[in-house]
Amino acid sequence: GQQVMQIPQYQHVQEGEDFTTYCNSSTTLSNIQWYKQRPGGHPVFLIQLVKSGEVKKQKRLTFQFGEAKKNSSLHITATQTTDVGTYFCAGPDGNTGKLIFGQGTTLQVKP
Amino acid sequence: DTGVSQDPRHKITKRGQNVTFRCDPISEHNRLYWYRQTLGQGPEFLTYFQNEAQLEKSRLLSDRFSAERPKGSFSTLEIQRTEQGDSAMYLCASSPQGMTGELFFGEGSRLTVL
């Protein structure tokens, strides 16, 4: 079945450093979504990318969808302690549309 | 609060007991999803509904798991004869009909099976 994989699993950075997480799907995706889950919280939607090669920015966060629509990345510039949490990418199953999540990248930021 | 609500937030039970979780989605959302999440993992799809119709159930789910959405509003997830491996966070999410985008998650129901 369709798989969505993320690397790295964990990342520890010093406040002010940049951070990137990568997402790869075993199949071509119609869209890719990103969610953030704070410690002890629930996943919260960040953004959806639809077009091949699309790049979207939200303040210090930059999201990119690959040309082949099988991979994506999230880059955070100058991390802050408020960025702490686990970032998940998710893509719809081609047959049913159900959302398949990656295993997430957990970001720790040292002040 | 008009978000997705789940009840109970925490449930501790003994192995072999039955448990039931309830999810109330955002009122205008026709799609309702159940996911399971264990520590260090992403949400794992269990099942989803379009109105009252259960459209898909994960092959990972044993027949001890059943979900209903009788009137197309709230949903229940029942686990019969619980096992220690069922310990997890059970997340409910909803989305508007026809939208393949954003899922709105509830706070989750944490199950601990002793």
Side-chain angles (χ1 to χ4, degrees):
Chain A
Q2 179 180 334
Q3 289 185 312
V4 177
M5 295 148 286
Q6 281 184 257
I7 57 169
Q9 187 173 5
Y10 298 98
Q11 185 84 54
H12 295 249
V13 300
Q14 198 73 40
E15 189 172 22
E17 292 182 338
D18 292 356
F19 159 78
T20 304
T21 173
Y22 300 91
C23 175
N24 287 284
S25 170
S26 58
T27 61
T28 301
L29 299 170
S30 60
N31 68 79
I32 189 89
Q33 298 178 31
W34 285 91
Y35 291 76
K36 177 182 179 181
Q37 186 171 24
R38 294 183 186 275
H42 59 280
V44 175
F45 176 82
L46 294 176
I47 206 161
Q48 177 176 277
L49 304 171
V50 179
K51 299 177 183 176
S52 169
E54 187 171 13
V55 178
K56 285 189 177 181
K57 291 190 176 184
Q58 289 180 349
K59 298 182 180 179
R60 294 177 295 102
L61 277 60
T62 302
F63 303 84
Q64 188 166 8
F65 200 10
E67 294 289 341
K69 301 183 77 173
K70 294 182 70 174
N71 59 77
S72 181
S73 64
L74 158 58
H75 180 82
I76 303 178
T77 303
T79 53
Q80 300 176 359
T81 55
T82 53
D83 296 324
V84 164
T86 302
Y87 293 85
F88 295 100
C89 64
D93 176 272
N95 295 321
T96 64
K98 70 188 181 194
L99 212 55
I100 307 296
F101 283 78
Q103 68 268 46
T105 296
T106 298
L107 172 64
Q108 294 282 3
V109 179
K110 290 178 259 185
Chain B
D1 188 339
T2 57
V4 178
S5 63
Q6 293 188 243
D7 183 72
R9 295 287 310 278
H10 303 274
K11 179 71 176 179
I12 300 174
T13 191
K14 292 182 179 179
R15 190 176 54 184
Q17 299 294 306
N18 300 344
V19 296
T20 299
F21 301 115
R22 175 180 170 127
C23 172
D24 287 87
I26 294 171
S27 59
E28 63 268 25
H29 287 184
N30 293 81
R31 287 198 170 192
L32 186 148
Y33 303 79
W34 285 99
Y35 283 84
R36 177 172 64 188
Q37 187 176 31
T38 54
L39 196 63
Q41 300 297 316
E44 176 186 34
F45 173 81
L46 294 179
T47 188
Y48 87 100
F49 294 84
Q50 173 81 25
N51 297 314
E52 66 274 10
Q54 187 173 17
L55 297 187
E56 186 173 351
K57 184 175 176 180
S58 169
R59 287 172 292 178
L60 298 173
L61 278 188
S62 73
D63 55 8
R64 297 184 297 107
F65 287 72
S66 63
E68 293 183 340
R69 196 183 182 195
K71 296 182 181 179
S73 56
F74 73 92
S75 175
T76 58
L77 176 68
E78 181 183 17
I79 309 173
Q80 295 182 326
R81 305 180 303 281
T82 52
E83 302 172 356
Q84 287 186 325
D86 298 331
S87 296
M89 177 71 83
Y90 290 85
L91 292 165
C92 177
S94 68
S95 68
Q97 181 178 5
M99 179 178 169
T100 57
E102 177 179 359
L103 296 187
F104 296 79
F105 281 89
E107 299 281 352
S109 293
R110 180 168 295 283
L111 173 65
T112 301
V113 181
L114 302 176

